[in-house]
Amino acid sequence: MKELMQNLLTQLGMGDNDYIYASAVIILIVLISLIIHWLFHKVVMGFLRKNANNSEQQWKHSLYKNKLFPRIALTLQGIIIFVQARLWLNADDNALPVIEVITHLWILLYGLLSVYSLLDTLEDISNNSPTGKRLPLRGIFQSIKLIGATVAIIFAIALLIGKSPVILFSGLGAMTAILLLVFKDPILGLVAGIQLSANKMLAVGDWLEMPKYGADGDVVDINLTTVKIRNWDKTITTVPTYALISDSFKNWRGMTESGGRRIKRAINIDTTSVHFLTDADINRLRKAQLLSSYIENKLTEIAAYNAEHKVDASSAANGRRLTNLGTLRAYLEAYLKASPHIHKEMTCMVRQLHPGAEGIPLEIYAFTNTTAWAAYENIQADIFDHIFAVLPEFGLRVYQSPTGYDMQQLGSTLNNPRVTAESPTS
C-alpha cells in the first residue's frame, strides 16, 4: 500500500517530498473515514433504527435508545483509522505517533461509552422482566462503570505521558489508603449491592420500612451509594446502601407476594357485661344464621356433659353453660370465614387476650384476600363496624374510659334534686 501511494505521487512529480506524502496520506485517511462514517451512521444505523421502530421487542428499543450501535460504530472507526495509519505511513513518519495517540484515546473513550450503553441496555431489559426487577443490578452496573472509567483514565494518562500503564497501576498500591478514604461510600455501596442482590433482600418496587431513617414506602431507585424510598406522604427518603446491611429494615414483599394482608386488631370488652346466656338469649341468638348450628351443637355437648357428671342446674356455678363472650367469639369466627374478603387459606381466628384495667381484649386475627392499601382499610373498617353494631345483641359493651361528657352528665344528675330524691326508690 505504501509503495502504491509512493508510485502514484512519483508519477505526479511529488514523490520526493515527505511532507506532501504525509499530507496526501492524511487526506486519504480522512476521506476513507468519512465514507465509512456515512456507511455506518446512514446505511447501517438507518436499517437498525427502522428495524427497532417496527419491532415490538423491548430489547431492540433499548439498544437503540441507549445508543449502543452508534458508539460501537465510532469505536470501529477509530480502529480503522489506526489500521490505515499503520498501512499508509512509514514507521519513522512524525505524523504516525500523533495519529496513534489520538486514535487510542478515541478508542478508549468510545469503547468505554459502548460498555456504558451495554450496561444501560441490560438494566432496561432487566427492569422489564419479573426476575430482573428483584435484583438490585443498578448498583452493580454503576460499580462496573466506575471501575471502567478509572482504568480508562489510567490508560489515557499512560498514553499521553508515554509511560507503561503498569507503572501507574503499581503507584496505586501506595495510594490504597487514600483511595479507600475517598471512595469509601462507593466501595461500601458496591459490597452492599452485591449482598442485596445475592440474598435477594431488596428490589425496586418493594415496600420498605426503616423507622431509623424515617423511611416507609416504595423503593424507587437502588444505585451504588443510595437507596431512594418514596414515602406514603410522597416525600423522598434517601438511605445509604450500606445501611441496609448494617441496620435492620422491614421488607413487605412477602406480604405482597402472598396475596393476603393481615388484620390484627382488638376491641376491649367491658368485663362487667360478660354473663351466662339465659334461655331467652339462646332463643334470640338461635335466629342468627351463622350461630344456629353452633348453638345446637354446643347445647347438645353441654347437656351430655352435665348429665354425665350429674350437675345440679340450680346453681349457675355448676357444670358448663354458654356465655355471651364465648358465643360472640364463635359468631365472629363464622362471620370472618363467610366473608368473601377474607383469605380462606391463611390463619383466621378470634382470640381472647390477657384482661387488664381496660377490659378484656378480643382480637381479630385474619388476612384479607387483597394487599391494596385502600381496599384493605375498607375491609377492616367494615368488619369492626359490624362488630361494634352486633355487640348489644350479645349483651356486651365496649370498654370506654369516662369522657368529659360522662362527667358532665353525672354532675347534672347529682345536682338535680328530683333525680336525687327518687334514686333510692328507683
Side-chain angles (χ1 to χ4, degrees):
M1 299 295 289
K2 297 176 184 177
E3 294 178 358
L4 180 62
M5 177 62 72
Q6 271 302 359
N7 293 334
L8 180 61
L9 292 176
T10 301
Q11 293 176 4
L12 295 175
M14 298 180 292
D16 297 333
N17 194 324
D18 292 338
Y19 176 78
I20 294 177
Y21 175 78
S23 300
V25 168
I26 292 173
I27 293 173
L28 180 62
I29 291 174
V30 170
L31 288 175
I32 295 175
S33 300
L34 290 175
I35 294 172
I36 293 174
H37 181 85
W38 180 83
L39 288 173
F40 277 153
H41 293 271
K42 294 297 181 180
V43 180
V44 178
M45 295 304 156
F47 171 76
L48 294 175
R49 186 186 306 111
K50 183 178 179 181
N51 188 24
N53 292 334
N54 295 333
S55 175
E56 295 182 357
Q57 294 177 317
Q58 187 63 38
W59 65 272
K60 291 185 178 180
H61 294 279
S62 298
L63 285 173
Y64 178 71
K65 182 186 70 174
N66 293 308
K67 302 178 180 179
L68 176 61
F69 290 125
R71 290 176 176 177
I72 291 177
L74 288 169
T75 306
L76 292 176
Q77 288 177 240
I79 296 174
I80 292 171
I81 293 174
F82 174 77
V83 172
Q84 288 186 86
R86 284 292 184 92
L87 288 175
W88 295 106
L89 293 174
N90 296 317
D92 56 350
D93 201 310
N94 294 330
L96 182 59
V98 177
I99 295 176
E100 286 182 342
V101 171
I102 294 174
T103 52
H104 280 143
L105 293 175
W106 178 285
I107 294 168
L108 274 176
L109 174 62
Y110 283 101
L112 180 64
L113 292 177
S114 299
V115 173
Y116 282 9
S117 296
L118 177 61
L119 294 175
D120 291 338
T121 302
L122 293 176
E123 183 180 348
D124 289 343
I125 295 173
S126 65
N127 290 335
N128 291 322
S129 65
T131 304
K133 286 182 179 180
R134 296 301 176 193
L135 301 174
L137 297 176
R138 187 173 185 184
I140 297 176
F141 289 161
Q142 287 182 332
S143 303
I144 296 174
K145 289 181 180 180
L146 180 61
I147 294 171
T150 303
V151 173
I153 291 172
I154 291 174
F155 273 101
I157 295 173
L159 282 170
L160 292 174
I161 64 177
K163 300 292 183 180
S164 172
V166 177
I167 299 175
L168 297 179
F169 279 113
S170 61
L172 291 177
M175 299 177 61
T176 302
I178 298 175
L179 291 175
L180 288 176
L181 181 63
V182 173
F183 296 104
K184 181 190 73 171
D185 290 342
I187 293 172
L188 291 174
L190 172 61
V191 176
I194 293 173
Q195 289 182 313
L196 291 173
S197 177
N199 299 321
K200 298 181 180 180
M201 298 168 60
L202 191 68
V204 174
D206 287 352
W207 172 7
L208 180 143
E209 186 176 348
M210 206 169 185
K212 180 178 178 180
Y213 293 90
D216 185 12
D218 289 334
V219 177
V220 295
D221 184 32
I222 302 176
N223 55 45
L224 182 59
T225 56
T226 58
V227 175
K228 291 183 180 179
I229 299 99
R230 183 175 58 237
N231 300 312
W232 301 125
D233 58 0
K234 302 306 178 184
T235 58
I236 300 294
T237 298
T238 302
V239 179
T241 305
Y242 60 83
L244 298 172
I245 304 300
S246 59
D247 297 327
S248 62
F249 67 92
K250 182 186 289 187
N251 190 340
W252 290 81
R253 183 201 305 166
M255 179 272 295
T256 305
E257 293 177 346
S258 69
R261 188 166 178 179
R262 187 181 68 175
I263 297 174
K264 187 177 182 293
R265 181 183 293 181
I267 57 171
N268 292 327
I269 303 296
D270 190 343
T271 309
T272 60
S273 66
V274 180
H275 57 78
F276 292 118
L277 291 179
T278 63
D279 291 338
D281 294 333
I282 292 174
N283 291 331
R284 184 182 70 254
L285 292 175
R286 269 196 177 111
K287 299 177 182 179
Q289 295 179 351
L290 295 175
L291 272 178
S292 57
S293 61
Y294 168 80
I295 289 178
E296 299 302 331
N297 293 334
K298 271 295 182 182
L299 288 177
T300 302
E301 179 186 335
I302 290 172
Y305 176 87
N306 291 339
E308 180 183 351
H309 293 82
K310 298 179 181 180
V311 172
D312 182 6
S314 61
S315 174
N318 294 330
R320 292 175 58 185
R321 297 174 184 271
L322 286 174
T323 64
N324 58 347
L325 184 57
T327 307
L328 173 65
R329 285 194 297 107
Y331 169 79
L332 292 180
E333 285 184 2
Y335 174 77
L336 291 173
K337 291 177 180 178
S339 173
H341 305 295
I342 297 299
H343 206 295
K344 300 301 185 292
E345 298 179 0
M346 294 186 177
T347 304
C348 178
M349 64 178 176
V350 181
R351 60 176 181 169
Q352 188 181 129
L353 303 180
H354 182 71
E358 296 182 350
I360 304 173
L362 195 65
E363 185 181 77
I364 306 298
Y365 193 101
F367 291 81
T368 62
N369 55 11
T370 178
T371 59
W373 190 10
Y376 162 79
E377 293 293 347
N378 287 332
I379 293 170
Q380 184 173 232
D382 289 342
I383 290 172
F384 280 87
D385 287 349
H386 181 79
I387 293 174
F388 289 127
V390 82
L391 282 179
E393 189 71 13
F394 292 83
L396 292 166
R397 296 185 302 273
V398 177
Y399 177 86
Q400 180 173 301
S401 299
T403 65
Y405 177 77
D406 296 326
M407 297 296 103
Q408 183 180 2
Q409 292 299 108
L410 179 61
S412 300
T413 302
L414 294 176
N415 292 330
N416 190 331
R418 181 178 177 182
V419 174
T420 306
E422 292 179 354
S423 58
T425 59
S426 59

